[in-house]
Each structure stands twice: as structure tokens, then as C-alpha cells.
Amino acid sequence: MMGINLWGVSSIDFIAWRGLVYTVYILHFVCICQFLFLHPLVSALDGKPGDVAELFERVSRSVKVKRYSEAINDLNAAIEADPTLSEAYRHKASIFRQLCRYEESEESYKRFLEMKPGNSAVEKELSQLHQSRDALNTAMNLVNSGDFSKSLEYVDKVVLVFSPACLKAKILKVKLLLLVNDYSSAISETGFILKEDENNLEALLIRGRAYYYLADHDVAIRHFQKGLRLDPEHSELKKAYFGLKNLLKKTKSAEDNENRGKLRLAVEDYRAALALDPNHTAYNVNLHLGLCKVLVKLGRGKDAVSSCTDALNIDGELLEALVQRGEARLLVEDFEGAVADLRTAAEKSPQDMNIRQTLLKAEKALKMSQRKDWYKILGISKTSSISEIKKAYKRLALQWHPDKNVDNREEAEAKFRDIAAAYEVLGDEEKRTRYDQGEDVEDMGMGGGGGGFNPFGGGGQQYTFHFEGGFPGGGGGFHF
């Protein structure tokens, strides 16, 4: 029994000794690690400023390559080893300020000033922190009030000056660049963000939208797709991606219907595409132009003028929109407007013979519109027979003879003059044909030769009207 007890005691002692050896080994390992890794940080306690300088140099290198977390970890370790290391608080406060982590930055600055009160340089940095924080809040309020340019100014000239690593401010800046339509700058700025973090979803979304508003849809789609691969349920990326796909689908449908001659369906598709994003001007200018062209083909001049004007309001130098609006104005008989548009287009493209021919057509139409409408003056249609023309002439000549309109003789003389001129052109088959063809018949008015038409024969009461310049059918005057 005694032997068994002794054996049992010996076994327990062996296990205890083995545990003690393991414990000593682990403690020794921890001490070695502390010496190797924390020695540069705690050596300041031993009065070795060179090691502190090395620490801050390492922190500076980390900040330079934007490894802010590593820099903060080093500083936290240094402060843990020596809570009186004031410069560590200052460095940490500066990094937090750059990252716009304002509360942590302010706390670190205050800890430094508790150790070294009255330090003007640090008090200045603390003031810059307050300026940056206030400017960021002001910028956000300006966004809510719709003053995007002023908000951008606060972000660019204050926040990112004192907090250059502030991701929140950078994202706000590129959003504002979109809102003020500076798409190229938005692309450039988001490029810097993605260089630091290629998977930043907000930067991918904003950059894609910038390319979208520049009508570079292929590149926009690639950005949206990359973002959706990272987060398939991202609502804004889904909205941007599927919205763009729908726009392209509607546009293709409009173009296909136009090519197939289904013009009314094309009009519906163009209008549906335009309704998807009225602010997408870089792309909508082509939709407005496409719609205008279809409306011209349909003969809907008024709507066509409106669509081409919308296109020109976006791009006043769009040559084809000028030409199409000129064509549309011909349809609504706005001949002066048509000539003005087509003349401008011809000046921009003097070698284009199609534009020149259309301009000549418009100028001819304008000239025709400015001459008197003899048919209208006689109150007849363009298909009236010669007998109907004579009948109308006889009735109106009698009605407006100046001797029968003593009370309004001046008006009657003017109307009688027009009636006579109208009959001289329309009562002559050759002159009427030339007039109908749009030829210049300005010299076909009053003053023709003898053998004219006397609608009242030789009987009845005699009224005498001496018309200066002659009258069709007589020499110096016309006698009733």
C-alpha cells in the first residue's frame, strides 16, 4: 500500500512540474515578443528619443500611403506603453482630423493640450478641425436647400483642405459635381476614390452615372454591373442599370419602327424614351431630333417644330435639327422662319446641295406667300372655271366701284384696284398658269392692252371711274 501511495504522489509531482515548465516557457515567449515589437515604443521611457522619432517616421510613412489604420494602431500602442507621450496624441488627432473623425480628433487634441497647454500650433489645428466640421455641416444644409454650387465651394475650399482624407466629403463632392452637371470632374474625382478602394459602391454608382449623363452608355453599364456583382441587391445600382437598359430598349424600338415605316408607333416610342429621364440632355437631344424627323414625315409640322426646337435648345449648333425645323416650318407655312433656319444651315454647311435646294424651295414659298392671293381676292377656288372667274369679277367690280361707294371711296378704290388686277391675271389662261406655278407675275397686274372685258356691256346708267394706270379692257379709263 505504501508503495502505491508513493507512486501516486510521484505522478502528481511530475505533472505539476511539467505545467510549471510550460508556464515559464509561455511567459518567456511573451517577454521576447514584447521586447521585439514594443521596445521601440517603450524606449522613450528610458530616455531614447531616437526610437520615438523612428515611431513617428513610421506613422508618417503609413499616412503618406494612406494606411491610416496602421498609423493609428502604432500610436495607440505607443500611448498604451507611455500615456504621457504627448506627440502621439497630436499625431493621432491630426490623422482623425484628416479622416473627418472629428470627435476622436478633438478628444486627442484636448489630451495633448492638457499636457502642453498654450501650444499655439495645436490650438490652430484644433481651430481648423472646428472649421472643417462646421463647413461640412453647412455644405449638407446647402444641399438640402438646393444651393449645390455653394455647397461644393464649402466642401472643396474648406472641408477637403483641412480633412483631405475625408471619404464622406469626397463622396459628397462627386455627388455635387453631378448635380452641377460637371460630369468630367465627377469621373476624375471618383477615379481617385476607386484607386484607393476599387470596390467602393458609391463611387462606382456615381462614376457610372457621370458616364451615363455624357451618353457613354457602354462604360456606364460596366460600372453598374461591377457594383451589382459586389452587391446584387443594391437598390440605386439596380435602378440605374435597369433604367439605362430600358432607355436603350425604347430607343431601339423607335428606330426599328421608323425603319419599318410604322411612324406613329415610332412617335410613341420616342416620346416614351424621352419621358424616362428628361434630364439626360446629352442623349435626349438625339431623341428629340429623331422624333422631329418622324413628325416631318407624318406632315405634323407644328409638333415637329416643337421637337426640333427642343433639340436646338440643348445643342444650338445641331445642323440636322436646323434643317428639319426648316422643313417643319414649311409645313405650317411659317415661310420666314423656314428661310431663316435653312439659311443658317446653309451658312454652316455651304457645300451641302440638299440644304441649298431646300432653302431655294423655302425662299420661293416665302415669295409666293408675300404676293397677293388673286383667288382669295375674287372669292373663288383655284379650280374655278373661266366663266366662274368672270362672274366673280363682274359681281365684285360692281360692288366695289368707287362711284357706288361715296362714303368709303378710298377703301373702295383699293379693293377695285385689286379686283381688276386679279382678273387681269386669272382671266388670262397663260398668266394664270404661270401664277399657279409660282412664277413672278408682279408685272401682270394693271395696265394691259385693249380688247378687255366689259362685264356690264354697253347699256344702263353710265358711271365713270378714271383709274390711274389703266384697267383691263381699256386705255386710260373704264366707263359704265
Side-chain angles (χ1 to χ4, degrees), residues 97 102-103 105-107 109-110 113 122-138 158-159 162-163:
R97 173 172 55 81
Y102 296 122
E103 290 184 7
S105 177
E106 188 169 23
E107 180 183 350
Y109 276 130
K110 287 181 178 179
L113 290 171
V122 171
E123 288 176 346
K124 181 179 179 181
E125 291 179 23
L126 181 58
S127 174
Q128 292 172 346
L129 179 153
H130 294 151
Q131 292 179 59
S132 181
R133 180 182 58 195
D134 293 346
L136 184 56
N137 291 333
T138 300
V158 183
V159 181
F162 298 135
S163 303

Side-chain angles (χ1 to χ4, degrees), residues 422-436:
Y423 180 70
E424 182 168 357
V425 173
L426 301 182
D428 184 294
E429 185 174 343
E430 181 183 351
K431 291 180 181 180
R432 181 184 181 185
T433 299
R434 289 173 58 195
Y435 174 79
D436 289 343

Side-chain angles (χ1 to χ4, degrees), residues 312-416:
L312 288 165
N313 286 338
I314 297 171
D315 181 0
E317 299 299 315
L318 192 58
L319 182 66
E320 192 172 3
L322 272 173
V323 175
Q324 288 296 319
R325 190 171 69 175
E327 294 270 17
R329 282 177 162 165
L330 285 174
L331 293 174
V332 296
E333 298 185 355
D334 176 10
F335 303 119
E336 289 186 7
V339 169
D341 280 343
L342 293 165
R343 189 169 289 159
T344 301
E347 290 171 357
K348 291 178 181 293
S349 182
Q351 305 303 320
D352 192 320
M353 295 309 299
N354 290 327
I355 295 176
R356 300 294 302 178
Q357 290 174 1
T358 308
L359 173 58
L360 290 174
K361 181 175 73 173
E363 289 173 336
K364 182 177 180 179
L366 174 60
K367 189 171 184 178
M368 289 178 66
S369 72
Q370 292 172 338
R371 68 182 183 175
K372 291 185 177 180
D373 187 340
W374 302 133
Y375 289 102
K376 186 175 181 180
I377 288 171
L378 293 182
I380 58 177
S381 71
K382 293 183 178 181
T383 59
S384 296
S385 64
I386 188 64
S387 63
E388 290 172 327
I389 293 172
K390 289 180 179 180
K391 183 178 179 181
Y393 168 65
K394 177 180 179 179
R395 175 176 55 81
L396 291 171
L398 180 61
Q399 177 185 346
W400 288 103
H401 193 287
D403 290 345
K404 300 192 66 147
N405 292 272
V406 179
D407 294 336
N408 59 335
R409 189 177 185 86
E410 188 173 329
E411 178 187 2
E413 287 180 358
K415 286 188 175 293
F416 194 77

